[in-house]
Amino acid sequence: SPLPVAATRANWSKQDLIAFTGTSSANASGIWIIKSDGSSPRELHLSGLSNQMFYPSWFPDGEQLAAMDAQDFVIKRIDLRKGTVVTLTDNRQVFTGMPSVSPDGKSIIFAGQKNTGQHYDQSNNQIWLMDEAGVSHALESVPAQGRAPVWSPSGRQIAFESTRGSASGLYAIFLINRDGTGLTQVTDRALNADHPVWSPDGRHLAFSARRSTLTRDRSIAVIDIPNN
C-alpha cells in the first residue's frame, strides 16, 4: 500500500531493514523503518525525537541509528531495542547535517559547520568527524565546502560531494582518507555529480549526475574506485 509520507534518504541495514526519512503533507519529517519486501512500515515515535528528523544511518548492530534533528541541528543516536534517544553533538559548537556511521560503529562522519552565530545554510557545510571519544572536529586541516559524506565499506575512505573549485557552483564527488589526508576528485565537474553511494565491495561508487551540459535531466552513474 502507498505510504502516507514522501520517502527519501533510504539506508539499508545488514539485518535487511530499511530506514528512511518520511515527510508528511504538513512538512513534518520522521524516521521510518520498513522491511526490504515493503512490509511492516512504521514511524519511530520516541521521546527526544522532533518532527524534523532526517538522514538515518544504521550502526553495524542493526539496533541503533544516527540521524539529524533539524530542529536543533544536532545528531541523535536512536536505540531501537531500548527505545532511547541520545544527543551526540553540541549545537553550540557545530550545526550538523547528514551523518554516516563508520563500518565499525565507533565514529560518525557528518556534514556540518562551526556555529559562529550564523543561520544554518546546508550549502556551506564542511566534512566533520566525531571520534570514538565523542569529540567532533573538522576532518580537513583547512576545511572547505562538502556535503553528503559516506564511509567506504573498509572504513578507510569517505566519499562526499563538493562545489570546491567550481566558480559556477557545480558539484563533484571527492574521496578523502579517514585521517583527513589524500583528498582526490573522482568525477568531472561537468557531471554536477552528487549523493555518492558505495557498492558493498567498495570498488564502485554510484551517484546522481546530469546527462549532458545541454539538459537538466539527471541519471544514475557509476565509477570504479580502485584499491579501496
Side-chain angles (χ1 to χ4, degrees):
S1 300
L3 293 170
V5 290
T8 61
R9 300 292 186 163
N11 189 255
W12 209 317
S13 78
K14 294 180 180 179
Q15 288 71 26
D16 219 24
L17 293 175
I18 298 169
F20 62 92
T21 298
T23 302
S24 72
S25 58
N27 288 323
S29 293
I31 304 302
W32 285 65
I33 295 176
I34 192 170
K35 293 182 179 179
S36 62
D37 63 1
S39 64
S40 304
R42 63 186 177 98
E43 183 179 6
L44 300 182
H45 294 285
L46 299 173
S47 176
L49 298 181
S50 77
N51 66 351
Q52 293 297 308
M53 300 298 303
F54 297 92
Y55 312 128
S57 177
W58 289 98
F59 283 81
D61 62 8
E63 295 183 346
Q64 299 178 89
L65 289 159
M68 172 203 180
D69 189 333
Q71 180 172 277
D72 299 315
F73 302 112
V74 295
I75 292 173
K76 294 185 173 180
R77 184 172 185 153
I78 305 166
D79 191 311
L80 302 179
R81 182 173 57 84
K82 296 179 180 178
T84 57
V85 177
V86 176
T87 300
L88 299 179
T89 57
D90 184 353
N91 61 9
R92 295 171 298 180
Q93 176 194 12
V94 58
F95 293 143
T96 65
M98 173 183 160
S100 176
V101 179
S102 63
D104 61 9
K106 296 180 179 180
S107 304
I108 297 176
I109 200 83
F110 62 92
Q113 56 194 257
K114 187 176 181 180
N115 180 359
T116 58
Q118 81 281 16
H119 291 291
Y120 177 75
D121 180 353
Q122 64 177 349
S123 66
N124 293 329
N125 278 340
Q126 302 157 350
I127 306 303
W128 285 62
L129 176 72
M130 187 177 70
D131 60 24
E132 296 182 44
V135 177
S136 298
H137 60 86
L139 182 64
E140 298 176 87
S141 57
V142 181
Q145 196 268 359
R147 299 171 56 191
V150 285
W151 290 92
S152 68
S154 68
R156 293 194 297 264
Q157 289 184 303
I158 295 104
F160 65 95
E161 64 186 52
S162 178
T163 59
R164 62 183 69 188
S166 172
S168 54
L170 296 177
Y171 277 89
I173 305 301
F174 289 77
L175 297 181
I176 193 169
N177 297 328
R178 66 177 299 155
D179 63 0
T181 64
L183 179 69
T184 306
Q185 182 177 335
V186 296
T187 65
D188 189 285
R189 188 72 64 182
L191 292 173
N192 196 21
D194 55 20
H195 299 112
V197 178
W198 291 90
S199 63
D201 61 7
R203 297 174 60 186
H204 315 280
L205 278 172
F207 53 90
S208 172
R210 65 179 180 180
R211 291 180 180 272
S212 77
T213 57
L214 303 178
T215 177
R216 297 181 63 183
D217 292 342
R218 298 186 69 81
S219 186
I220 302 300
V222 177
I223 189 171
D224 295 338
I225 304 296
N227 303 321
N228 180 61

